[in-house]
Amino acid sequence: MIKIFIANDKGGVGKSLVAQFCVLALDANGLDPDIIEYDNQPKMRSMFGADRVETNSIGLSADGSRDQDEGVVSWDPLLENLLSNNSFVVDFGAQAWAGFSEWAESIDLGQYYKGKGLSIIVPVTADREALNGAIRVLKSARELLPAAKIHVLKVNKDGDVDDLEGIPEYKMLFTMIETCKAKVKDLPTLRAKGLPVLFSLNYSLDRIVNTPLEDLPLGDLPMASRARLIASVKDWLGEANKVLLSALISVQKVGGTRLRRR
């Protein structure tokens, strides 16, 4: 069984994209993971269906408040997931890790969950706040879940993360990576014409590659361009699959670029 947390307190770093990759990679290996998301702007349900995805809102109530005790208790079902024999992928939305940390401390989670099947994936982009969001997760992850594997995944969709190596947040992230004994990998980057449109329509990656060319809602994009898009996504899935599986279940060793440090 494989259990995966995907977290960064900053939105827009590719958490749901990474969650998609993880689900599809585990599906391809017959593990059929449960899918859980904690987000006030959920995405996974629209991609994989309400019958498969458990969605938990972390938003505030209508008056802008939320009962603190109720907020903590809302995480209780996650303990059963952790202690079960089922594989799962949990997509933590922006700000969700703080609520999880409070809950984990309240029940002393580490004394109950000591399994080694859990991986925490922390996506990070070339953005100062994304680095800060990753740092906040890493600061508590090792203490809360000492047996977990921790992976920092560079998502270079907005530029190379290593281009920020001169700023304090980058240096702090690198320090936290060493402290947590985290591994660093690169998620392959794909820029293909038409892909942002399909993503905006909540097309999952597997749906993209399995939809007939003429049924893709891409306006006047020529059929040959659509075919190249599908081929590119298939290759992208394959490369990401290798990177993630090598990190999560050691199917094969696939190198990821380490963060540079001068």
Side-chain angles (χ1 to χ4, degrees):
M1 61 181 175
I2 303 297
K3 301 178 185 296
I4 303 170
F5 285 172
I6 301 165
N8 184 318
D9 267 353
K10 170 70 168 58
V13 299
K15 292 186 293 293
S16 295
L17 175 63
V18 173
Q20 257 196 93
F21 276 122
C22 288
V23 170
L24 295 175
L26 297 184
D27 278 348
N29 283 270
L31 294 174
D32 190 27
D34 297 330
I35 308 170
I36 306 167
E37 59 183 348
Y38 288 89
D39 204 336
N40 54 11
Q41 294 182 320
K43 296 180 182 178
M44 301 300 289
R45 177 172 290 196
S46 63
M47 295 176 183
F48 291 100
D51 57 335
R52 185 174 182 186
V53 180
E54 176 188 331
T55 299
N56 304 278
S57 175
I58 61 169
L60 300 177
S61 60
D63 63 358
S65 64
R66 185 167 187 173
D67 181 85
Q68 185 174 4
D69 292 336
E70 181 182 346
V72 171
V73 170
S74 68
W75 290 87
D76 283 357
L78 190 55
L79 182 59
E80 294 182 22
N81 294 113
L82 280 166
L83 297 180
S84 76
N85 291 322
N86 296 333
S87 296
F88 66 63
V89 175
V90 181
D91 181 8
F92 287 82
Q95 310 302 318
W97 184 262
F100 165 77
S101 297
E102 183 180 359
W103 167 76
E105 290 176 359
S106 75
I107 65 168
D108 193 5
L109 179 60
Q111 75 168 323
Y112 298 108
Y113 183 74
K114 299 179 180 179
K116 297 182 179 180
L118 176 66
S119 292
I120 302 173
I121 300 178
V122 186
V124 63
T125 57
D127 176 89
R128 186 184 296 265
E129 286 306 311
L131 299 183
N132 281 323
I135 290 167
R136 288 192 290 272
V137 172
L138 293 178
K139 277 185 175 179
S140 57
R142 180 59 70 205
E143 180 178 351
L144 295 173
L145 293 160
K149 297 178 182 178
I150 302 178
H151 308 274
V152 174
L153 189 64
K154 294 191 294 179
V155 183
N156 294 322
K157 64 185 181 71
D158 301 320
D160 193 330
V161 173
D162 288 330
D163 288 344
L164 302 182
E165 62 183 350
I167 69 173
E169 289 85 354
Y170 181 97
K171 296 176 181 177
M172 175 61 75
L173 176 62
F174 195 93
T175 299
M176 291 303 305
I177 287 170
E178 292 183 335
T179 300
C180 295
K181 298 181 179 178
K183 305 296 183 181
V184 182
K185 287 187 175 291
D186 285 87
L187 185 72
T189 300
L190 174 64
R191 295 180 178 87
K193 187 175 183 180
L195 191 60
V197 174
L198 296 177
F199 278 173
S200 70
L201 297 172
N202 292 323
Y203 266 56
S204 61
L205 294 166
D206 57 334
R207 184 180 176 191
I208 290 172
V209 300
N210 291 312
T211 299
L213 294 177
E214 62 274 15
D215 292 340
L216 290 173
L218 293 173
D220 296 329
L221 192 67
M223 287 296 178
S225 297
R226 296 172 184 227
R228 279 192 290 272
L229 168 61
I230 290 176
S232 296
V233 171
K234 285 182 177 178
D235 288 343
W236 193 32
L237 274 169
E239 289 303 309
N241 194 321
K242 291 177 184 178
V243 170
L244 291 167
L245 289 180
S246 69
L248 302 175
I249 55 181
S250 301
V251 170
Q252 54 187 322
K253 293 183 178 180
V254 179
T257 303
R258 295 180 62 84
L259 287 173
R260 298 192 304 270
R261 190 180 188 187
R262 290 178 180 172

